[in-house]
Each structure stands twice: as structure tokens, then as C-alpha cells.
């Protein structure tokens, strides 16, 4: 008897004229971050402060703790909280799923769905949801009932870490004891490969290729909230076999919202008829989540749903089944689900809609695909994952829409469309990604670790609490939206500009329109003043203005306030007295022009450049030599390191800034301005040259203890000058 939830696809007359497409997608990259799944890392040593430094920064620590307490009383989010330990100690992260600013789900290298950044916007939740797994069922294709039972293998495709992780109920109720000895993980962002070579079934080699649509210069698909898993099952034995892969997923993100009640799951099916290709049927599950949060005391509901799906070609002998009614925090329900999957590798529920979850329950669903794997052959089973969280709100309660809503809609009911698009498009994504990466990976002049890092370090553009809006809030009719990302998962400031200075090469080279958007936001914030003598400075307990006019902001805001509308949430130092931020803005504009050759952008930025440089000249430059001076406190990005007088780091940035301004003025035909910047550069260079002693530039011009030290980053200005072709 075939139940409603069990679908077999068979060879039919309509499909016999077409060949089902096959793809050789289980080949591993030559260069990747690779680990055996049974590797155990020592616990990461946590940051600690020595006794001497402890006394030195005792006042700062006391003021920081008080600030954190005040922020929490106001139901706001402190920019950092070093007194609150990170919940996951072991290094388990892997390549994240999702596009830029779409929200993200990180899948760890052991198989965990381990870190979430979807809602609230900009907040990263490091939480393992144990129900979210791939699992294998296999048995011989032929044989007596007892023989089949004795040779049945059912296993969660996951390896538990022995340190730093408290696994939840599902893995304690299922067969989840794989050793990982014959399993490996390979990460090359935005793709990852997991290989189970003869494990858990010694006859089968399973390769899972994970891909997300992160594609340079693509401003559409790179924003999509989805990813695809292409499983290749290869039967290396002489025995024909049946195999089933199950993808189970919880309705939620591992937060308290999962047990609030009112969540539902439902099955969907879409068939695509095409006279020029085989008919395909997409089977999937939508997990509708009733999400709400409090903003300024008001309960705000935001649309949120997740989805998983698979696509079957007509002519494939595959069976799709599902279970919608798993209570993921109930041992009884979990055991019942696993018992059914273990008995035959499929489910027989006839329901297409679950009941709403009850308060205190978390629910989930599972999708299973069962197929024959004949001896010495291999098959593919493809799953997609997607989510739809179109609306983002901060303290202002203003609604921002994510970039992908321009292409799918803003109502929060399009996860089926997202899943179907992903299943139709992943081959094109892979081709585009390989075309982008191949010239670098094959470059004999680059060391392999550098090649690997160049791609893998881009993960943070997806996994860094990033936000990409559709741009409807901007005046411009045609725009690419706005982009934010956190300084760190535990350092909650968006687009921290002193460090974006270093990271911005990725955006400028790969998604230059996003970099220009960031620059426009920084420029708009720079010219404005925010607050007035009401900003408590944690470093020394003084009071200052949050940001004065024409001081480049440290950041564009905190996810607990109102990003863009209220920039510069950093309060450890008074950044209006910082000496590096204004120079860094000018240098980035110059570098962005060199990469994009966008003269209109240069014209647009020029008035801001004039105001930003004038602020430095009026407040920090010694008129006698045109050189910027540090003031004896941490007045630049290294915010616990003081410099006095002329310093190698800040002075070098200022010289490169002047040279960039001269070059831009020449490009724009402003000859008088160009000559003025040239003269100041020549004058300031003489003062800077006095730092050069015994073959190197010293730290600063003071007589302090560390004045003759070498700071590893002190020639950052010269680096940018080279990057901008200024010599």
C-alpha cells in the first residue's frame, strides 16, 4: 500500500526520450581546509589578563561592567560583554549556508547545524540544534527478511565532539555513534564537501557537496537565503543495495521561540512539465514559524519560515516520504520517528499538514529519499534548504526588507519558490564559482595556504551577522541596497570602519557596488553630529559628544539600537579625537576608484573628502609642518595602545591620505586643490622621515618606553598607496 506521503517516480513514455542529467559533483577540490571527522581539538584557551594589566585596566573593567548592566536594564544590547562566556567552546564551525545579508546558518565540519543569524537581525546565535541532521538507511536490495534485517545499517551522519558540546535529545535517542575515522570534511567557501568513505556502510561511499549562491559581481542570487546539498552515493561492492537519505529539520533556530507554540509544518509538491526536458517533481516541507519579539515594549510579529526540499526526475526510481509531526523535545516522539526510519528507510504518514505546536513543544519534520544503488554504480540525491525572513526591525521599529525580496516578494510566503529556484540553479552556481576560483587556485605563484585563506576568509560576509537591504529606504530609484556586517560575533558594531579598512578589499574587488554603498553611508554619517556632551567614555569615565560633525564614525550602529540612523555606538574611546578614521575614508575612496574606474562615484565623494580632510587639518595637524599628531592616548584603531607626537602608523596613513587627495583632485581637474595637497604632503613627509632610525621607522617621536618599537602594521598607509597605484 502506497500512502499519500510516499511517492515513487517510474520510467514513463513521456520521459523515455530524455536522458536524466547526471553531474560528476563528488570530486574534491585540490586545495581546501580539511579535517578528519574524528579529530579532537584541545579546548581553546580563553583570553585572560595578567595581574599587572589587571590593575592597569581595573577602572575600565568596572565602568564596562556598569555599562553592560545599564544597557540590559534598558533592554538594549551592549557592544560587547566579556563577562558572558561564549556557549560553544570547541572549534566546530564550517562553511555557512546562505547568501550575503540573507541571514545565515553555519553547518559545522562534524555535521552540526551550529550557528544562526536570521532573526533578530544582526544577532548571531551559537546554538546546536541536534534534530537538524542527515541520516542514512541502507540494506541489500535482495534477500530473505532476516538477512535484510541483519544487514540493515541506520546511522546519523554526524560525529559527536568529546569536548565543549552538550548535545541535545535527538542524538541521544537515535543511532548516532559513528566514529568518523573514515570521514573527512573539506571547506572552500562557498562550498564544502563531507566524505563518508565506507562509513557507516562499508559498501558505500557517500559524498555531500554543499553550495550556496555566493557569486562575485552577482547582485541577485548572491543575496538568496538558501543552500543545496548534493549527495553522491557510490556502491563500491558487488551487492546491489537500497539506500535512503533523510534530512530532518527543526521548526526554528534553537531559541526559546521554538517552544512558544503556534508553529506548523506542511508538505508541498510541484511538478514541472517541459517538452524539451524530463518532467521533474519537487517535494518539500515548509516549516512555518510564528516569530515575535519585543521592541520598545511592543510585541512585533515578523514573518519567518524555513523549508527543505528535493527534486526527482521522471524516470528515476526514487521514493520520497516525509514526517511532519515530530516533537523534537520529546523522547517518545523522537524514538518513534527513528524506529520507523530504521525499519524501512521511509515514512508512511498520510497527513499533509501538522497541527500547530503546543506551548512548551518544539516541532520538526523530516524528508527522506529512497533509491536503488546497484553494484559499481552511483546515484545523486539533492536536497535544498531555504528560509524566508523578509523583514528586519531595530529599535526604531522601521521596517527594512532584505535584498532577496526584490526578486521573490516581501510577504514571507515564498520559501517554496526559493527552494525550487535553488534546486533548478545549483549547477549554474557551481559553474560560476569554479570559474571565479580556478585562476587563483591554479596560480603557481601563490602558496596553497594563501589560496585557501583567500576564499575561506570570505565566510564572514555571510556569517558575520550581515544584512543586505533592498534599498527601498534610499532616495535613489536605482540602487543596490545597503550592507552591514558586525565587527565580530561578540563585538556588536556594524561596519566598524577602522577594521573595515582592512576587510573592504573583499567587497571592493568582488561586490564593488556594496562597497560603494558602505562608503555612501559612512560619508552621510560623517558630516552629521550625533548627541551633545552626553556620551560616557569607558576608557577614562569622561563625557563627550557621541560623534561630532566631519569626524568619520567608528561604526554605523549596534543591532540593539538603530543602525544608520544612530551611528557610532562605540564608547570605549572618544572617536572624534581619533587620528586614523578620516584618513582611512579618503584612502578607501581612492582605492575603490582604482578598482572600479567609476568617475561618477569619485565626483559624488569629493565634497565629503574635502570636509573630512579639513576636520583633520583644523584639529590635529601641526601647522608648522603639515603633519598629524597623536595625543598620548589610544586615539586610533589599536585602542589600548597610546602614541604621542608623530607616529609611524597614524602619520603614514595621513601621508597616503594627502597623496590620494592630490591624485583625486588631479583626476577631477581641481588643479589648485591638487597643488595644495602636494605641498602639504612634501612638508609632512620631512617630519615623518625623522622617525626613520637605524634602518626602520620607530613607533613614535616621543621619549616614551616603547618609542623605538616596531608596530607590525605601522606602514599600512604605504600598503594602501601601493594598492591605489600611488607609488
Amino acid at each position: 500500500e502506497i500512502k499519500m506521503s510516499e511517492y515513487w517516480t517510474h520510467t514513463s513514455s513521456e520521459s523515455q526520450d530524455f536522458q536524466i542529467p547526471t553531474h560528476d559533483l563528488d570530486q574534491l577540490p585540490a586545495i581546501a581546509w580539511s579535517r578528519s571527522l574524528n579529530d579532537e581539538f584541545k579546548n581553546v584557551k580563553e583570553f585572560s589578563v595578567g595581574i599587572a594589566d589587571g590593575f592597569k585596566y581595573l577602572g575600565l573593567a568596572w565602568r564596562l561592567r556598569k555599562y553592560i548592566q545599564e544597557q540590559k536594564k534598558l533592554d538594549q544590547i551592549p557592544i560587547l560583554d566579556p563577562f558572558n562566556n561564549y556557549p560553544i567552546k570547541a572549534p566546530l564551525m564550517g562553511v555557512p549556508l546562505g547568501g550575503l545579508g540573507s541571514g545565515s546558518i553555519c553547518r559545522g565540519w562534524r555535521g552540526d547545524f551550529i550557528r544562526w543569524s536570521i532573526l533578530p537581525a544582526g544577532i548571531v546565535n551559537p546554538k546546536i540544534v541536534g534534530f537538524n541532521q542527515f541520516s542514512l538507511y541502507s540494506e541489500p536490495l535482495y534477500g530473505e527478511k532476516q538477512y535484510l534485517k541483519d544487514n540493515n545499517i541506520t546511522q546519523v551522519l554526524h560525529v559527536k565532539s568529546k569536548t565543549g558540546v552538550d548535545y541535545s535529545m535527538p542524538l541521544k535517542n537515535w543511532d548516532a555513534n559513528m566514529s568518523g575515522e573514515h570521514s573527512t570534511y573539506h571547506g572552500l567557501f562557498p562550498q564544502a564537501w563531507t566524505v563518508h568513505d565506507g562509513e557507516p556502510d562499508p559498501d558505500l561511499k557517500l559524498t555531500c557537496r554543499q553550495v550556496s549562491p555566493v557569486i562575485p559581481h552577482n547582485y541577485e542570487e548572491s543575496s538568496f537565503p538558501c543552500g543545496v546539498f548534493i549527495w553522491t552515493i557510490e556502491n563500491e561492492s558487488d551487492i546491489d543495495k537500497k539506500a535512503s537519505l533523510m534530512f530532518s529539520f527543526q521548526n526554528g533556530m534553537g531559541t526559546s521561540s521554538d517552544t512558544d507554540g503556534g508553529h506548523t509544518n506542511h508538505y508541498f509538491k510541484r511538478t514541472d512539465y517541459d517538452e524539451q526536458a524530463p518532467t521533474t517533481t519537487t517535494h518539500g516541507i515548509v516549516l512555518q514559524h510564528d516569530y515575535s519579539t519585543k521592541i520598545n515594549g511592543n510585541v512585533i510579529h515578523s514573518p519567518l519560515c524555513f523549508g527543505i526540499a528535493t527534486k526527482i526526475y521522471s524516470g528515476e526510481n526514487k521514493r520520497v516520504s516525509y514526517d511532519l509531526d515530530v516533537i523534537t523535545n520529546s523522547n517518545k516522539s523522537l524514538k518513534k520517528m527513528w524506529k520507523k526510519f530504521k525499519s524501512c528507510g521511509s515514512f508512511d504518514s498520510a497527513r499533509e499538514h501538522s497541527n500547530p505546536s503546543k506551548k512548551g513543544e518544539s516541532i520538526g519534520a523530516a524528508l527522506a529519499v529512497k533509491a536503488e544503488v546497484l553494484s559499481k554504480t552511483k546515484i545523486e540525491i539533492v536536497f535544498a534548504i531555504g528560509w524566508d525572513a523578509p523583514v528586519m526591525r531595530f529599535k526604531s521599529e522601521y521596517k527594512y526588507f532584505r535584498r532577496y525580496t526584490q526578486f521573490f516578494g516581501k510577504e514571507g510566503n515564498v520559501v517554496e519558490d526559493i527552494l525550487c529556484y535553488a534546486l533548478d540553479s545549483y549547477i549554474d552556481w557551481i559553474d560560476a564559482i569554479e570559474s571565479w576560483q580556478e585562476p587563483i587556485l591554479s596560480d603557481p605563484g601563490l602558496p596553497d595556504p594563501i589560496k585557501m585563506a583567500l576564499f575561506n576568509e570570505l565566510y564572514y560576509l555571510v556569517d558575520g551577522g550581515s544584512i543586505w537591504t533592498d534599498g527601498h529606504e534610499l532616495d535613489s530609484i536605482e540602487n543596490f541596497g545597503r550592507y552591514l556586517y558586525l565587527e565580530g560575533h561578540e563585538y556588536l558594531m556594524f561596519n566598524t570602519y577602522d577594521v573595515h579598512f582592512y576587510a573592504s578589499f573583499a567587497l571592493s574587488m568582488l561586490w564593488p557596488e556594496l562597497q560603494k554603498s558602505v562608503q555612501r553611508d559612512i560619508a552621510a554619517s560623517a558630516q552629521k553630529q550625533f548627541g551633545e556632551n552626553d556620551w560616557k567614555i569607558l576608557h577614562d569615565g569622561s563625557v563627550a559628544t557621541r560623534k561630532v560633525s566631519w569626524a568619520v564614525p567608528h561604526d554605523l550602529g549596534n543591532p540593539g539600537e538603530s543602525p544608520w540612523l544612530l551611528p557610532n555606538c562605540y564608547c570605549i574611546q572618544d572617536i572624534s579625537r581619533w587620528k586614523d578614521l578620516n584618513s582611512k575614508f579618503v584612502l578607501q575612496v581612492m582605492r575603490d576608484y582604482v578598482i572600479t574606474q567609476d568617475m561618477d562615484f569619485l565626483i559624488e565623494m569629493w565634497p565629503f573628502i574635502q570636509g573630512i580632510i579639513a576636520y583633520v587639518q583644523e584639529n590635529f595637524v601641526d601647522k608648522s609642518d603639515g603633519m598629524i599628531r597623536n595625543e598620548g592616548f589610544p586615539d586610533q584603531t589599536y585602542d589600548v595602545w597610546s602614541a604621542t607626537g608623530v607616529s609611524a602608523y597614524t602619520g603614514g596613513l595621513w601621508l597616503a591620505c594627502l597623496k590620494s587627495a592630490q591624485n583625486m583632485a588631479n583626476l577631477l581637474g581641481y588643479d589648485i586643490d591638487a597643488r595644495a595637497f602636494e605641498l602639504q604632503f612634501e612638508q609632512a613627509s620631512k617630519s615623518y622621515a625623522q622617525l626613520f632610525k637605524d634602518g626602520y621607522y620607530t613607533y613614535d617621536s616621543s621619549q616614551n618606553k616603547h618609542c623605538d618599537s616596531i608596530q607590525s602594521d605601522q606602514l599600512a598607509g604605504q600598503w594602501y598607496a601601493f594598492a591605489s597605484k600611488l607609488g
Side-chain angles (χ1 to χ4, degrees):
E1 181 184 5
I2 298 180
K3 306 292 184 181
M4 287 178 62
S5 68
E6 299 173 349
Y7 298 91
W8 284 87
T9 60
H10 304 278
T11 302
S12 61
S13 58
E14 65 160 334
S15 65
Q16 288 177 343
D17 294 335
F18 303 113
Q19 183 176 358
I20 297 170
T22 58
H23 311 97
D24 190 20
L25 299 179
D26 56 343
Q27 298 301 307
L28 300 181
I31 298 168
W33 183 89
S34 301
R35 286 291 181 275
S36 173
L37 266 61
N38 67 346
D39 278 359
E40 288 291 344
F41 292 87
K42 295 180 180 179
N43 280 341
V44 178
K45 184 179 179 181
E46 296 186 26
F47 173 77
S48 61
V49 177
I51 296 175
D53 283 336
F55 278 110
K56 181 179 179 181
Y57 297 113
L58 191 59
L60 173 60
W62 181 82
R63 287 186 289 272
L64 177 59
R65 182 177 284 277
K66 186 178 179 182
Y67 155 79
I68 292 167
Q69 292 170 346
E70 290 173 350
Q71 290 286 294
K72 291 181 176 179
K73 283 181 182 178
L74 295 171
D75 196 28
Q76 293 183 344
I77 301 171
I79 60 172
L80 76 163
D81 185 359
F83 308 106
N84 184 20
N85 289 330
Y86 199 72
I88 297 176
K89 305 296 184 185
L92 299 175
M93 307 302 171
V95 173
L97 293 153
L100 276 67
S102 67
S104 67
I105 304 172
C106 181
R107 186 165 187 253
W109 56 274
R110 290 180 179 272
D112 302 294
F113 287 76
I114 195 169
R115 188 161 61 205
W116 308 72
S117 178
I118 299 175
L119 290 175
I123 300 298
V124 179
N125 172 36
K127 174 70 175 179
I128 294 176
V129 181
F131 184 78
N132 298 350
Q133 301 290 345
F134 288 101
S135 302
L136 173 71
Y137 165 94
S138 67
E139 67 176 8
L141 184 59
Y142 307 108
E144 298 294 331
K145 185 175 182 179
Q146 188 61 44
Y147 169 75
L148 297 179
K149 183 178 180 180
D150 291 343
N151 288 275
N152 168 293
I153 295 172
T154 311
Q155 181 67 233
V156 179
L157 299 174
H158 171 275
V159 177
K160 296 178 184 177
S161 173
K162 297 176 182 177
T163 59
V165 180
D166 180 21
Y167 287 101
S168 55
M169 293 172 63
L171 296 184
K172 297 174 182 177
N173 287 280
W174 298 348
D175 295 298
N177 50 13
M178 197 165 65
S179 73
E181 183 179 357
H182 302 289
S183 299
T184 54
Y185 179 89
H186 311 267
L188 189 68
F189 180 84
Q191 298 190 87
W193 294 255
T194 305
V195 181
H196 305 286
D197 195 353
E199 180 183 34
D201 187 329
D203 295 334
L204 301 180
K205 179 180 180 180
L206 288 80
T207 303
C208 175
R209 183 171 186 164
Q210 170 190 319
V211 62
S212 294
V214 180
I215 303 166
H217 306 285
N218 180 318
Y219 296 93
E220 182 174 336
E221 291 167 301
S222 291
S223 73
F224 289 178
C226 56
V228 175
F229 302 96
I230 307 103
W231 283 89
T232 302
I233 305 176
E234 183 176 2
N235 184 352
E236 299 179 320
S237 74
D238 296 325
I239 303 171
D240 295 336
K241 306 205 76 167
K242 286 185 288 187
S244 177
L245 278 176
M246 176 180 70
F247 187 10
S248 53
F249 202 82
Q250 183 165 302
N251 191 325
M253 301 170 286
T255 66
S256 60
S257 176
D258 293 12
T259 56
D260 282 348
H263 313 313
T264 58
N265 305 325
H266 74 262
Y267 165 81
F268 74 90
K269 174 185 176 183
R270 290 190 184 183
T271 300
D272 183 16
Y273 300 98
D274 188 337
E275 294 182 358
Q276 304 300 319
T279 297
T280 61
T281 301
T282 298
H283 305 266
I285 298 170
V286 173
L287 302 98
Q288 191 72 44
H289 196 86
D290 185 13
Y291 181 84
S292 64
T293 187
K294 275 190 176 183
I295 300 179
N296 300 326
N298 301 317
V299 176
I300 305 293
H301 291 268
S302 298
L304 173 63
C305 59
F306 301 89
I308 56 176
T310 189
K311 184 169 74 171
I312 309 297
Y313 287 91
S314 179
E316 289 186 297
N317 194 19
K318 291 179 178 176
R319 175 187 188 180
V320 180
S321 62
Y322 60 87
D323 188 345
L324 301 177
D325 297 294
V326 187
I327 302 173
T328 63
N329 58 354
S330 163
N331 288 316
K332 181 179 179 181
S333 181
L334 290 166
K335 288 177 180 177
K336 179 182 177 182
M337 171 197 172
W338 191 254
K339 181 179 180 181
K340 179 59 183 175
F341 181 68
K342 189 172 183 176
S343 68
C344 60
S346 60
F347 303 102
D348 56 11
S349 170
R351 294 159 53 89
E352 295 193 5
H353 295 270
S354 73
N355 292 323
S357 62
K358 298 177 182 178
K359 181 77 173 178
E361 290 181 347
S362 56
I363 62 170
L367 191 64
V369 180
K370 190 175 182 180
E372 297 176 359
V373 193
L374 303 181
S375 171
K376 309 300 182 183
T377 66
K378 59 184 177 181
I379 63 167
E380 284 181 3
I381 296 175
V382 182
F383 291 101
I385 182 173
W387 53 94
D388 186 14
V391 178
M392 301 169 290
R393 289 183 177 90
F394 303 101
K395 282 294 181 181
S396 67
E397 299 187 33
Y398 186 86
K399 290 169 67 172
Y400 296 93
F401 293 96
R402 295 189 192 268
R403 170 72 173 175
Y404 76 86
T405 62
Q406 276 202 352
F407 314 105
F408 285 102
K410 296 176 167 61
E411 301 304 316
N413 57 2
V414 297
V415 75
E416 292 184 23
D417 297 333
I418 292 170
L419 291 166
C420 291
Y421 187 91
L423 289 168
D424 288 341
S425 305
Y426 68 91
I427 295 297
D428 293 335
W429 299 346
I430 290 173
D431 289 343
I433 291 166
E434 289 182 343
S435 296
W436 157 42
Q437 294 183 339
E438 194 279 330
I440 296 171
L441 296 176
S442 61
D443 185 345
L446 290 174
D448 287 352
I450 295 296
K451 297 175 183 179
M452 180 180 69
L454 282 172
F455 296 113
N456 281 339
E457 292 304 312
L458 295 173
Y459 85 97
Y460 197 71
L461 297 176
V462 170
D463 191 37
S466 61
I467 290 168
W468 188 358
T469 75
D470 70 343
H472 81 280
E473 72 278 8
L474 301 174
D475 294 333
S476 173
I477 295 175
E478 293 185 9
N479 64 75
F480 291 88
R482 302 162 100 177
Y483 180 79
L484 296 173
Y485 66 135
L486 296 171
E487 178 169 347
H489 293 138
E490 300 172 79
Y491 215 21
L492 305 181
M493 294 168 284
F494 284 125
N495 293 5
T496 302
Y497 201 65
D498 53 325
V499 290
H500 178 70
F501 173 74
Y502 301 94
S504 61
F505 281 87
L507 283 184
S508 192
M509 296 177 72
L510 302 177
W511 294 274
E513 296 299 337
L514 289 187
Q515 168 63 8
K516 287 189 282 187
S517 174
V518 170
Q519 292 288 76
R520 291 185 179 102
D521 287 333
I522 292 293
S525 296
Q527 66 177 332
K528 298 176 184 177
Q529 176 167 317
F530 295 88
E532 188 162 355
N533 295 324
D534 57 356
W535 195 239
K536 295 179 181 178
I537 302 300
L538 299 180
H539 177 72
D540 57 10
S542 63
V543 177
T545 298
R546 180 167 179 147
K547 195 198 78 67
V548 302
S549 179
W550 291 116
V552 167
H554 171 274
D555 55 80
L556 288 177
N558 169 275
E561 291 187 311
S562 299
W564 294 300
L565 301 178
L566 198 57
N568 208 77
C569 61
Y570 176 85
C571 56
I572 297 176
Q573 304 282 359
D574 179 5
I575 65 91
S576 297
R577 304 297 302 175
W578 274 21
K579 311 304 184 297
D580 62 334
L581 292 170
N582 286 37
S583 295
K584 287 177 175 178
F585 177 83
V586 177
L587 289 173
Q588 287 189 63
V589 172
M590 182 70 247
R591 186 275 320 274
D592 295 340
Y593 170 76
V594 169
I595 290 174
T596 66
Q597 296 295 297
D598 186 343
M599 184 60 74
D600 290 338
F601 176 70
L602 202 59
I603 294 170
E604 180 186 356
M605 290 294 105
W606 183 249
F608 297 102
I609 289 170
Q610 289 178 301
I612 283 168
I613 292 179
Y615 176 81
V616 178
Q617 291 172 327
E618 292 167 9
N619 291 278
F620 310 130
V621 169
D622 189 321
K623 302 300 187 292
S624 68
D625 63 2
M627 174 51 73
I628 197 169
R629 295 293 196 278
N630 293 94
E631 295 184 273
F633 75 97
D635 53 359
Q636 30 68 46
T637 184
Y638 297 98
D639 54 3
V640 294
W641 293 356
S642 298
T644 301
V646 180
S647 70
Y649 180 69
T650 305
L653 291 172
W654 176 241
L655 289 178
C657 167
L658 293 172
K659 196 67 175 177
S660 295
Q662 175 196 342
N663 195 51
M664 287 186 280
N666 280 324
L667 288 167
L668 295 170
Y670 300 136
D671 298 337
I672 295 175
D673 289 335
R675 181 57 180 160
F677 287 127
E678 182 182 19
L679 290 174
Q680 188 172 357
F681 171 79
E682 292 173 353
Q683 184 183 27
S685 296
K686 295 175 183 177
S687 181
Y688 189 77
Q690 294 176 21
L691 294 176
F692 193 78
K693 301 172 184 177
D694 300 325
Y696 70 94
Y697 287 94
T698 55
Y699 180 71
D700 67 18
S701 62
S702 73
Q703 298 301 313
N704 295 330
K705 180 180 178 181
H706 300 294
C707 67
D708 59 350
S709 298
I710 299 175
Q711 180 185 350
S712 62
D713 190 30
Q714 66 186 24
L715 298 184
Q718 182 60 59
W719 166 50
Y720 250 79
F722 283 141
S724 301
K725 300 181 180 179
L726 300 177

